[in-house]
Amino acid sequence: QVQLVESGGGSVQPGGSLTLSCTVSGRIFVMGWERQVPGKQRELVADITWSNLISYQPFAKGRFTISRDVDKNTIWLQMNNLKPEDTAVYYCFAGPMKSDQGTQVTVAS
């Protein structure tokens, strides 16, 4: 059974930075991050393929960086210049598998 293990997250002030990581127990072609605000649907943040093809949602471009270590089956999401509207639960996904746990990111003064 494939498992996703997330870490990172926390509380920062606007303009701050956080890094999330996610490790999957197996090699999956596409991995990435989604986020969800209470009362809203999950939205894609960024994803990365095995061959390092990357896509970002417009709100993430220029502020977030997704990276991957294929050998470690791990991805990271470096988030800079965080804004209050980035406050959400961030979920890792690997192929069709999605994390149920998530990690809270709170951006507030």
Side-chain angles (χ1 to χ4, degrees):
Q1 183 178 357
V2 177
Q3 293 183 327
L4 298 168
V5 179
E6 301 155 319
S7 63
S11 297
V12 294
Q13 293 185 341
S17 299
L18 286 171
T19 300
L20 310 180
S21 67
C22 175
T23 299
V24 62
S25 58
R27 290 198 171 188
I28 307 295
F29 182 65
V30 178
M31 294 181 67
W33 295 92
E34 296 176 327
R35 69 184 188 182
Q36 187 171 24
V37 175
K40 295 187 177 181
Q41 290 187 331
R42 286 193 193 186
E43 62 176 351
L44 178 66
V45 178
D47 58 36
I48 183 168
T49 71
W50 198 331
S51 55
N52 276 329
L53 291 175
I54 293 171
S55 65
Y56 295 102
Q57 289 299 290
F59 63 80
K61 287 183 178 179
R63 299 190 299 125
F64 296 1
T65 302
I66 190 169
S67 58
R68 181 172 187 169
D69 185 323
V70 174
D71 291 334
K72 295 181 179 179
N73 299 326
T74 299
I75 61 170
W76 294 270
L77 184 69
Q78 172 70 42
M79 303 183 291
N80 297 323
N81 191 22
L82 284 162
K83 303 175 181 180
E85 52 264 41
D86 294 317
T87 296
V89 179
Y90 285 70
Y91 297 90
C92 175
F93 68 88
M97 295 165 293
K98 298 189 176 187
S99 165
D100 292 327
Q101 180 178 355
T103 184
Q104 177 70 46
V105 171
T106 302
V107 185
S109 299

